[in-house]
Amino acid sequence: MTLLLISILFIFPVVAIAGYQHYKIVKHPDYDANITLLNYEIVGSGKNKLVLLHGLTGSLNYWKRNLESISNTHTLLLIDLLGFGDSPKPQSDYSLSIQLQALELVLNKEGFNDGKTIVAGHSMGAIISMALLQKHPHWFKAGVFIGIPVYKDADEFKRIMSTHSFVDRISSSKFSKYICMIHPIFMSSAFKPNNLTDDVYEDAKKHHWMSYYYSLTEVILKTNLYAIAKKIKDKDVHFIHGEKDTTAPLENALKLSREFTNAQIITSSEGDHQFFLKEAEFVWNTIQDFSVSDKKLQKPTSNEH
């Protein structure tokens, strides 16, 4: 009787939700590189162009903080990555090459490929930004990488995440695919991380298991950032990182930055992985100083905010 009650109250609803989430994806069309247009917004009218890419489970709304100052000097292209926010969520392997193809349609359409643009991203978006810079070095004059996650391998990632909250641990475990299928259950206010705002957390619910799982495994864990960096080592790049980032350790980002001959590193002394949400003005000022300044960039140096 007890087992039957547990099945009715817990197991059956979980299986039903997971099944429905899987069914929804089966109904989605396959990814078509020629016609799948991402959701995006253009903000500001400054003469400097800036592309902004969010992290895993994020959306373009992540960047909508203290935009007044940066939008006076920059024209911003805010994009929902494929499978996230309000962008299409087709059946796909969500590999790095697929994300780049989807972004190329928007960049070509809106003219952010003229060699005068800075490409910037946070977390997974920083990885994709670096890959875009490497694939199209003549499209962009520089790159900005905010909280870039650099891992030796999947085992290092799992070791790092093992010290995090229960939700983080199971979301990064071998069961992450199945956990993500039932994310409507545990993505409630009770499980909201303290470093996320309510609006960012709400947008994080818009992905599905396929876009989450394959973005994590194919983009974050399999991208060889050192190989990419070696190919664009003479590009001007800027690393912005939180010193208390336990998701993407600062020391790993510093090691990667040394592959570049024209890199600057600015750190937030109290910042964690989501420090932009609290220190948007600091990030915008840093990007402005980097993109507008006429000073020659120096070799990697550490600065404290």
Side-chain angles (χ1 to χ4, degrees), residues 87-117:
S87 277
K89 299 169 180 66
Q91 295 190 64
S92 168
D93 63 3
Y94 289 90
S95 63
L96 181 61
S97 62
I98 291 293
Q99 290 289 359
L100 296 184
Q101 286 179 1
L103 288 165
E104 286 162 352
L105 281 180
V106 178
L107 295 169
N108 281 311
K109 181 175 182 287
E110 297 298 341
F112 281 75
N113 58 351
D114 58 1
K116 302 177 182 178
T117 300

CSV table of all heavy atoms in Angstrom, one decimal, residues 87-117:
chain,number,residue,atom,x,y,z
A,87,SER,N,14.5,32.1,-28.6
A,87,SER,CA,15.0,31.6,-29.9
A,87,SER,C,14.4,30.2,-30.1
A,87,SER,O,13.9,29.6,-29.2
A,87,SER,CB,16.5,31.5,-29.9
A,87,SER,OG,17.1,32.8,-30.2
A,88,PRO,N,14.4,29.8,-31.4
A,88,PRO,CA,13.9,28.4,-31.7
A,88,PRO,C,14.7,27.4,-30.9
A,88,PRO,O,15.8,27.5,-30.6
A,88,PRO,CB,14.2,28.3,-33.2
A,88,PRO,CG,14.2,29.7,-33.7
A,88,PRO,CD,14.8,30.5,-32.6
A,89,LYS,N,13.9,26.3,-30.7
A,89,LYS,CA,14.5,25.1,-30.0
A,89,LYS,C,14.3,23.9,-30.8
A,89,LYS,O,13.6,23.0,-30.4
A,89,LYS,CB,13.9,25.0,-28.6
A,89,LYS,CG,14.1,26.3,-27.7
A,89,LYS,CD,13.2,26.3,-26.5
A,89,LYS,CE,13.5,27.6,-25.7
A,89,LYS,NZ,13.1,28.8,-26.4
A,90,PRO,N,15.0,23.8,-31.9
A,90,PRO,CA,14.8,22.6,-32.8
A,90,PRO,C,15.5,21.4,-32.2
A,90,PRO,O,16.2,21.4,-31.3
A,90,PRO,CB,15.5,23.1,-34.1
A,90,PRO,CG,16.6,24.0,-33.6
A,90,PRO,CD,16.0,24.7,-32.4
A,91,GLN,N,15.3,20.3,-32.9
A,91,GLN,CA,16.0,19.0,-32.6
A,91,GLN,C,17.4,19.2,-33.2
A,91,GLN,O,17.6,19.5,-34.4
A,91,GLN,CB,15.4,17.8,-33.2
A,91,GLN,CG,14.0,17.5,-32.6
A,91,GLN,CD,13.5,16.1,-33.1
A,91,GLN,OE1,14.1,15.1,-32.8
A,91,GLN,NE2,12.4,16.1,-33.8
A,92,SER,N,18.4,19.1,-32.4
A,92,SER,CA,19.8,19.4,-32.8
A,92,SER,C,20.8,18.8,-31.8
A,92,SER,O,20.4,18.5,-30.7
A,92,SER,CB,20.0,20.9,-32.9
A,92,SER,OG,21.3,21.2,-33.1
A,93,ASP,N,22.0,18.7,-32.2
A,93,ASP,CA,23.1,18.3,-31.2
A,93,ASP,C,23.6,19.5,-30.5
A,93,ASP,O,24.4,19.3,-29.6
A,93,ASP,CB,24.2,17.5,-31.9
A,93,ASP,CG,25.0,18.4,-32.9
A,93,ASP,OD1,24.7,19.6,-33.1
A,93,ASP,OD2,25.8,17.8,-33.6
A,94,TYR,N,23.2,20.7,-30.8
A,94,TYR,CA,23.6,21.9,-30.1
A,94,TYR,C,25.1,22.0,-30.0
A,94,TYR,O,25.6,22.5,-28.9
A,94,TYR,CB,22.9,22.1,-28.8
A,94,TYR,CG,21.4,22.4,-29.0
A,94,TYR,CD1,20.4,21.4,-29.1
A,94,TYR,CD2,21.0,23.7,-29.2
A,94,TYR,CE1,19.1,21.7,-29.4
A,94,TYR,CE2,19.6,24.0,-29.4
A,94,TYR,CZ,18.7,23.0,-29.5
A,94,TYR,OH,17.4,23.3,-29.8
A,95,SER,N,25.8,21.6,-31.0
A,95,SER,CA,27.3,21.6,-30.9
A,95,SER,C,27.8,23.1,-31.1
A,95,SER,O,27.0,24.0,-31.5
A,95,SER,CB,27.9,20.8,-32.0
A,95,SER,OG,27.4,21.3,-33.3
A,96,LEU,N,29.0,23.3,-30.9
A,96,LEU,CA,29.6,24.6,-31.1
A,96,LEU,C,29.4,25.1,-32.6
A,96,LEU,O,29.1,26.2,-32.8
A,96,LEU,CB,31.1,24.6,-30.7
A,96,LEU,CG,31.8,25.9,-30.9
A,96,LEU,CD1,31.2,27.0,-30.0
A,96,LEU,CD2,33.3,25.7,-30.6
A,97,SER,N,29.6,24.2,-33.5
A,97,SER,CA,29.5,24.6,-34.9
A,97,SER,C,28.1,25.0,-35.2
A,97,SER,O,27.8,25.9,-36.0
A,97,SER,CB,29.9,23.5,-35.8
A,97,SER,OG,29.1,22.3,-35.6
A,98,ILE,N,27.1,24.4,-34.6
A,98,ILE,CA,25.7,24.7,-34.9
A,98,ILE,C,25.4,26.1,-34.3
A,98,ILE,O,24.7,26.9,-34.9
A,98,ILE,CB,24.7,23.7,-34.3
A,98,ILE,CG1,24.8,22.3,-35.0
A,98,ILE,CG2,23.3,24.1,-34.2
A,98,ILE,CD1,24.3,22.4,-36.4
A,99,GLN,N,25.9,26.4,-33.1
A,99,GLN,CA,25.6,27.7,-32.5
A,99,GLN,C,26.3,28.8,-33.3
A,99,GLN,O,25.7,29.9,-33.5
A,99,GLN,CB,26.2,27.7,-31.1
A,99,GLN,CG,25.5,26.9,-30.0
A,99,GLN,CD,24.1,27.4,-29.7
A,99,GLN,OE1,23.7,28.5,-30.1
A,99,GLN,NE2,23.4,26.7,-28.8
A,100,LEU,N,27.5,28.5,-33.9
A,100,LEU,CA,28.1,29.5,-34.7
A,100,LEU,C,27.3,29.8,-36.0
A,100,LEU,O,27.2,30.9,-36.4
A,100,LEU,CB,29.5,29.1,-35.0
A,100,LEU,CG,30.5,28.9,-33.9
A,100,LEU,CD1,31.9,28.5,-34.4
A,100,LEU,CD2,30.6,30.2,-33.0
A,101,GLN,N,26.8,28.7,-36.6
A,101,GLN,CA,26.0,28.9,-37.8
A,101,GLN,C,24.8,29.7,-37.5
A,101,GLN,O,24.5,30.6,-38.3
A,101,GLN,CB,25.6,27.5,-38.3
A,101,GLN,CG,26.7,26.7,-39.0
A,101,GLN,CD,26.2,25.3,-39.5
A,101,GLN,OE1,25.0,25.0,-39.3
A,101,GLN,NE2,27.0,24.5,-40.0
A,102,ALA,N,24.1,29.5,-36.4
A,102,ALA,CA,22.9,30.2,-36.1
A,102,ALA,C,23.2,31.7,-35.9
A,102,ALA,O,22.5,32.6,-36.3
A,102,ALA,CB,22.3,29.6,-34.9
A,103,LEU,N,24.4,32.0,-35.2
A,103,LEU,CA,24.8,33.4,-35.0
A,103,LEU,C,25.2,34.1,-36.2
A,103,LEU,O,24.9,35.3,-36.4
A,103,LEU,CB,25.9,33.4,-34.0
A,103,LEU,CG,25.5,33.0,-32.5
A,103,LEU,CD1,26.8,32.7,-31.7
A,103,LEU,CD2,24.7,34.2,-31.9
A,104,GLU,N,25.8,33.4,-37.1
A,104,GLU,CA,26.3,34.0,-38.4
A,104,GLU,C,25.1,34.6,-39.2
A,104,GLU,O,25.3,35.7,-39.8
A,104,GLU,CB,27.0,33.0,-39.2
A,104,GLU,CG,28.4,32.6,-38.7
A,104,GLU,CD,29.0,31.3,-39.2
A,104,GLU,OE1,28.3,30.6,-39.9
A,104,GLU,OE2,30.2,31.0,-38.9
A,105,LEU,N,24.0,34.0,-39.2
A,105,LEU,CA,22.8,34.5,-39.9
A,105,LEU,C,22.5,35.9,-39.4
A,105,LEU,O,22.2,36.8,-40.2
A,105,LEU,CB,21.6,33.6,-39.8
A,105,LEU,CG,21.5,32.3,-40.6
A,105,LEU,CD1,20.3,31.6,-40.4
A,105,LEU,CD2,21.6,32.7,-42.1
A,106,VAL,N,22.4,36.0,-38.1
A,106,VAL,CA,22.1,37.3,-37.5
A,106,VAL,C,23.2,38.4,-37.7
A,106,VAL,O,22.9,39.5,-38.1
A,106,VAL,CB,21.8,37.2,-35.9
A,106,VAL,CG1,21.5,38.5,-35.3
A,106,VAL,CG2,20.7,36.2,-35.7
A,107,LEU,N,24.4,38.0,-37.5
A,107,LEU,CA,25.5,38.9,-37.6
A,107,LEU,C,25.6,39.5,-39.1
A,107,LEU,O,25.8,40.7,-39.3
A,107,LEU,CB,26.8,38.3,-37.3
A,107,LEU,CG,27.0,37.8,-35.8
A,107,LEU,CD1,28.2,37.0,-35.6
A,107,LEU,CD2,27.0,39.1,-34.9
A,108,ASN,N,25.4,38.6,-40.0
A,108,ASN,CA,25.4,39.0,-41.4
A,108,ASN,C,24.2,39.9,-41.8
A,108,ASN,O,24.3,40.9,-42.4
A,108,ASN,CB,25.4,37.8,-42.4
A,108,ASN,CG,26.8,37.2,-42.5
A,108,ASN,OD1,27.8,37.9,-42.8
A,108,ASN,ND2,26.9,35.9,-42.3
A,109,LYS,N,23.1,39.5,-41.2
A,109,LYS,CA,21.8,40.3,-41.5
A,109,LYS,C,21.9,41.7,-41.0
A,109,LYS,O,21.4,42.6,-41.6
A,109,LYS,CB,20.6,39.5,-40.9
A,109,LYS,CG,19.3,40.2,-41.1
A,109,LYS,CD,18.2,39.3,-40.5
A,109,LYS,CE,16.8,39.8,-40.8
A,109,LYS,NZ,16.5,41.0,-39.9
A,110,GLU,N,22.5,41.9,-39.8
A,110,GLU,CA,22.5,43.2,-39.1
A,110,GLU,C,23.8,43.9,-39.3
A,110,GLU,O,24.0,45.0,-38.7
A,110,GLU,CB,22.1,43.0,-37.7
A,110,GLU,CG,20.7,42.5,-37.4
A,110,GLU,CD,19.6,43.4,-37.9
A,110,GLU,OE1,19.9,44.6,-38.2
A,110,GLU,OE2,18.5,42.9,-38.1
A,111,GLY,N,24.7,43.4,-40.0
A,111,GLY,CA,26.0,44.1,-40.3
A,111,GLY,C,27.0,44.2,-39.2
A,111,GLY,O,27.8,45.1,-39.1
A,112,PHE,N,26.9,43.2,-38.3
A,112,PHE,CA,27.9,43.2,-37.2
A,112,PHE,C,29.1,42.3,-37.5
A,112,PHE,O,29.6,41.6,-36.7
A,112,PHE,CB,27.2,42.7,-35.9
A,112,PHE,CG,26.4,43.7,-35.2
A,112,PHE,CD1,25.1,44.1,-35.7
A,112,PHE,CD2,26.8,44.3,-34.0
A,112,PHE,CE1,24.4,45.0,-35.1
A,112,PHE,CE2,26.1,45.3,-33.4
A,112,PHE,CZ,24.8,45.7,-33.9
A,113,ASN,N,29.5,42.4,-38.8
A,113,ASN,CA,30.6,41.6,-39.3
A,113,ASN,C,31.5,42.4,-40.1
A,113,ASN,O,32.2,42.0,-41.1
A,113,ASN,CB,30.0,40.5,-40.2
A,113,ASN,CG,29.2,41.0,-41.4
A,113,ASN,OD1,28.9,42.2,-41.5
A,113,ASN,ND2,28.8,40.1,-42.3
A,114,ASP,N,31.6,43.7,-39.7
A,114,ASP,CA,32.3,44.7,-40.5
A,114,ASP,C,33.8,45.0,-40.0
A,114,ASP,O,34.4,45.9,-40.5
A,114,ASP,CB,31.6,46.0,-40.5
A,114,ASP,CG,31.3,46.6,-39.1
A,114,ASP,OD1,31.8,45.9,-38.1
A,114,ASP,OD2,30.7,47.6,-39.0
A,115,GLY,N,34.2,44.2,-39.1
A,115,GLY,CA,35.6,44.3,-38.6
A,115,GLY,C,35.7,45.4,-37.5
A,115,GLY,O,36.8,45.6,-36.9
A,116,LYS,N,34.6,46.1,-37.2
A,116,LYS,CA,34.6,47.1,-36.2
A,116,LYS,C,33.8,46.7,-34.9
A,116,LYS,O,33.6,47.6,-34.0
A,116,LYS,CB,34.0,48.4,-36.8
A,116,LYS,CG,34.7,48.9,-38.0
A,116,LYS,CD,34.0,50.1,-38.6
A,116,LYS,CE,34.6,50.6,-39.9
A,116,LYS,NZ,33.9,51.8,-40.5
A,117,THR,N,33.5,45.5,-34.8
A,117,THR,CA,32.6,45.0,-33.8
A,117,THR,C,33.5,44.3,-32.7
A,117,THR,O,34.4,43.6,-33.0
A,117,THR,CB,31.6,44.0,-34.3
A,117,THR,OG1,30.8,44.7,-35.3
A,117,THR,CG2,30.7,43.4,-33.2
